[in-house]
Structures are given as structure tokens and as C-alpha cells.
Amino acid sequence: MSRIAGRFARVEPRRRVRELVLGLLSDLPRKNCWSIAEWAGQASPDGMQHLLGRAKWDADMVRDDVREYVLEHLHGEDVVLVVDETGDVKKGTHTVGVQRQYTGTAGRIENAQVAVYLVYASNRGHAAVDRELYIPRSWTCDPDRCRAAGLGEDVVFATKPELATRMIGRFLNAGHRVGHRVGWVAGDEVYGGNPKLRAALEERGVGYVLAVACSHEVTTDAGKFRADALAVKVPKRAWQKLSAGAGAKGHRFYDWAVIDLAEPRTGSHQLLIRRNRTTGELAYYRCWSPAPVPLATLVRVAGSRWRVEETFQSGKGLAGLDEHQVRRFTSWSRWVTLAMLAHAFLAVVRADEHARHPAPDRLIPLTCNEIQRLFMTVVVRPVHDAAHRLGWSVWRRRHQARAQASHYSRQAANQT
């Protein structure tokens, strides 16, 4: 916490942000201002809500601190930046950025809020280092709605690939200043199908392995073809069995093939094809690097994309990344940034423990889940008496009674 303490001018928000981050790391079944304030021993959630909504501090500066913290402790070999989006299903229409849209979280179109994240992945670990909230056109075309949600007057629509480009640019600029180099970017079809993102990465000299659709068209020396049409032409001897990385149940083996592309731009342009060894299902990737690289390198980068799914799973399950109950943009950015910090702490402790204290025989290495349990049980251990618990019960019931009376009054007014 000392790394971000200087971002808060007063001692009260410094203490409260510490309590909020510890609450995010706790084993509470639901994490929001109410539950964390009760867990932290506060009389009401007013202080937590003030920290997220009205207190004077810059979430973007704390985000930069999180990025530097991750770089300092997780820097290593085989660095890949992974971009992906995740959605949080919401009720109502007032939460910033919410609309009916597809979200992979639900696997269908839902009323949801979607954000794009940038994950730093190395051989030591992985953690989110940046975030951008996706603001749909239905919002940017409605200035009053944006204003009510705390968005600036100058907010303009940006696609998810444009948000990814923005975050990668921020990271690379900061990374050069601190001496870290990033060689690769990975992402799914949303990003691989965007030529502007690919061109921006090539301009910065950053290689990429980005998934594309089967209908994606590429140019070879023989002409222009769909990706799936080229896959049919690959001879049997061209396929190689390689692991996309280690999973919980062993290595993820697939068959892989690569086809050189004919592009006027400099660098090595290729189409990477992955084939499931059981079902035969195919996946396709656009690849670029300043100089030719082995197939095994492209496969490693393609496999790194799973790191973002692991980050979302642990960030939501262990650090409350998706449990914010806030409507305005400022509160959203603050909650998400502090959740990123909480998850980064677990990732850093995990990496340090693996490096300093290798697991003995018959034990798996410490996981983020186990580190969270040990940290909260051995280090924090919040204990509150019965009077505190009863006081919170009274506060909740009083608040709910006011809310119920307000709903009934509004209903009665609408019926007259």
C-alpha cells in the first residue's frame, strides 16, 4: 500500500483505501461498499462510498502505480501483452456504459457493461495492468446520459480495438521509460480482425499473434484466399504437434501449421492454423514479427492468450473485480483499479514464493487461491464483537425500510 499512499492527500482516504483493498482480498461471499465496510469494522458504508465517488484522488495515477508494481515483480522472459474484454451483467439502464450487448461472461446478449483489459504475462506470472470501459454509441450520442453518469463532455465513441490500441500505447511508452521491452501482443478475433490495430503494432515494432475468423481473407503468392480455404490446402506433413502451454491437467497439445503471406509491408507476415487433435476444429491467427521466428514461438504466444481468462477468473473470484455496485464512471474506474491492485498483490506473492520456496514433493506450488486464504487467516484476521454485528443489522434494515418507502411513494405518485 505504500506504493500508492502518496496518491491520497489526507490520512483518512489512505486508511480507507487500505481497508477496501483488504476487503477485496477477503473471503466475503459478496464484496461491495456495504459488506466491506461491515467487515472492516466501520459503522456504515458512507466512508467507502465517499472514497469511490467524491474523495480527491486520481484512479489513473493509481493504475500507473499498479502497472509499475507488476512490471517490477513479474518481469521475466517471454513477455506477452494480452488484450481481451469481459462483461458484467447489470440490471437497469443507469449504470455507465450498460446496454444490451453480447458478453462472453453470459455467453449471450444481455444487459451488460463491458470493459477491455490489458494483461501483462511473463514466465513469472500474469496480472491486469490497464482497463478501459467500453462506452457504446447509444451513450455517446446522448450527452445528458453521459453527464449523469460522470462521463466528460468530450467523450467520443471508441471501438474495442481502439481501446486496446490506446492501452498498448500507454504501456509501451511507460515501458520504454523504465527499461522494459515487450515483444508480443495476443488477442482474440475482435482484435485480430482490425487492420488499424495490426498496423499500429507493426509501426511500433511489436509482434503479434491475433486470432481471426475463418472468413478472414489473406494474400499469398498464389492470390487472395479465405483462411479456411487455405487450411484445406495444407499438406499432412506440414502439421506439427506442439503444446500451447501447460494447463491444470497437462500440456495443451494441438496440431499447428503456418503459411507465409505476401504483404507489401516489411516484416514476416504469416497465417497460423491450430487444429484440435480430438475434434478437428480449426482456429486461425494473423501473425507478424519484425524478423522470421520459429513456429514454436508463434505457438507459445498464441497459447499465452489463455492467461487473460485466468486473470479474469481469479480477478473476479478472489478480488471482486466484477462485484462493483456503482453507476458513475469515476466510481467504476476506482473500484476496478483497486481490484486490479488486489489481484496483482496475489500474483506477485505467488511469483515470489515460487522463486524463493519451490514446492516440496507431493505438493503443488502455492496458488493465488491458497495465498488469499493464508493471508486473510494468518495476517489479517478481522474480529468484531456482537454489538458491531447487531449495529449493522439495524443499519441495513433502516436503509431498506427507507428504500421500500421511497419505492411505494414513487409508485403511488405514478398512479395518481
Side-chain angles (χ1 to χ4, degrees):
M1 296 304 298
S2 60
R3 183 178 292 267
I4 67 168
R7 305 302 186 188
F8 303 89
R10 296 174 58 86
V11 66
E12 293 88 349
R14 283 200 295 272
R15 290 173 178 167
R16 196 158 284 133
V17 76
R18 177 183 180 275
E19 293 170 344
L20 180 56
V21 172
L22 288 175
L24 290 170
L25 288 168
S26 72
D27 56 357
L28 287 168
R30 286 194 61 80
K31 298 170 184 177
N32 53 48
C33 287
W34 286 26
S35 61
I36 292 176
E38 179 181 5
W39 176 88
Q42 298 178 13
S44 77
D46 295 346
M48 294 292 181
Q49 292 169 344
H50 176 78
L51 176 71
L52 293 179
R54 299 180 300 278
K56 300 295 184 183
W57 60 283
D58 190 334
D60 287 346
M61 296 181 74
V62 175
R63 173 207 62 200
D64 294 344
D65 291 335
V66 173
R67 181 187 63 221
E68 301 307 318
Y69 175 63
V70 170
L71 276 167
E72 179 182 332
H73 292 278
L74 297 186
H75 68 89
E77 300 174 354
D78 304 331
V79 174
V80 180
L81 291 179
V82 190
V83 291
D84 201 3
E85 74 275 0
T86 186
D88 304 325
V89 177
K90 297 292 181 181
K91 297 180 180 179
T93 59
H94 298 292
T95 301
V96 59
V98 73
Q99 75 166 15
R100 287 191 59 80
Q101 55 191 319
Y102 177 82
T103 170
T105 305
R108 59 184 180 271
I109 295 176
E110 285 279 2
N111 193 60
Q113 181 188 60
V114 174
V116 182
Y117 288 84
L118 184 69
V119 170
Y120 178 92
S122 74
N123 62 320
R124 284 177 52 82
H126 48 88
V129 293
D130 208 343
R131 75 288 182 268
E132 286 281 354
L133 182 63
Y134 174 68
I135 308 297
R137 290 188 190 275
S138 60
W139 278 77
T140 57
C141 294
D142 190 342
D144 292 337
R145 192 182 187 192
C146 289
R147 193 178 306 110
L151 292 168
E153 298 287 342
D154 57 346
V155 63
V156 295
F157 175 73
T159 65
K160 293 167 188 174
E162 287 172 339
L163 297 177
T165 304
R166 187 184 303 171
M167 291 190 293
I168 293 169
R170 270 200 300 260
F171 184 94
L172 293 176
N173 292 337
H176 287 309
R177 288 199 297 272
V178 296
H180 293 281
R181 293 190 60 211
V182 174
W184 296 94
V185 168
D188 65 14
E189 296 176 9
V190 173
Y191 309 96
N194 187 272
K196 292 183 179 179
L197 172 58
R198 299 199 306 266
L201 293 173
E202 292 173 22
E203 185 177 345
R204 299 293 296 260
V206 178
Y208 58 76
V209 178
L210 299 170
V212 293
C214 62
S215 58
H216 182 80
E217 292 189 339
V218 294
T219 303
T220 69
D221 290 332
K224 182 176 286 189
F225 299 91
R226 282 172 50 120
D228 53 1
L230 281 177
V232 176
K233 301 176 184 293
V234 176
K236 290 184 178 180
R237 65 179 180 277
W239 294 96
Q240 297 185 41
K241 176 186 173 182
L242 293 169
S243 170
K249 299 180 180 180
H251 283 276
R252 301 190 299 267
F253 284 107
Y254 294 90
D255 292 330
W256 301 84
V258 66
I259 299 172
D260 292 331
L261 303 180
E263 292 284 348
R265 302 186 301 276
T266 60
S268 175
H269 296 262
Q270 295 173 303
L271 177 70
L272 178 67
I273 307 173
R274 187 193 74 197
R275 184 175 66 190
N276 188 294
R277 294 179 58 82
T278 303
T279 65
E281 181 183 5
L282 299 177
Y284 308 90
Y285 303 84
R286 281 290 297 260
C287 308
W288 180 87
S289 56
V293 296
L295 173 60
T297 299
L298 299 179
V299 170
R300 174 184 62 78
V301 178
S304 297
R305 203 187 74 77
W306 277 283
R307 304 282 191 90
V308 75
E309 303 298 340
E310 295 172 357
T311 300
F312 288 155
Q313 182 179 4
S314 56
K316 293 179 179 183
L318 301 178
L321 183 67
D322 62 337
E323 296 188 27
H324 52 84
Q325 295 182 357
V326 296
R327 290 184 173 182
R328 293 173 62 83
F329 176 74
T330 298
S331 301
W332 175 87
S333 61
R334 291 178 173 185
W335 176 280
V336 168
T337 302
L338 294 177
M340 286 166 50
L341 174 62
H343 176 261
F345 166 76
L346 296 175
V348 166
V349 173
R350 174 185 176 275
D352 288 346
E353 282 297 311
H354 288 195
R356 297 176 185 175
H357 306 104
D361 293 341
R362 296 178 179 269
L363 289 180
I364 66 168
L366 276 172
T367 63
C368 288
N369 297 61
E370 190 63 25
I371 290 168
Q372 183 210 34
R373 293 191 193 97
L374 292 172
F375 179 71
M376 299 312 299
T377 303
V378 177
V379 179
V380 180
R381 294 180 298 178
V383 178
H384 303 299
D385 57 21
H388 174 76
R389 301 298 185 190
L390 291 173
W392 261 91
S393 175
V394 171
W395 187 93
R396 275 193 299 270
R397 290 159 58 201
R398 183 186 302 117
H399 181 90
Q400 291 162 353
R402 287 199 299 264
Q404 185 182 62
S406 176
H407 289 313
Y408 275 90
S409 297
R410 188 180 302 111
Q411 183 184 57
N414 291 335
Q415 290 176 349
T416 57

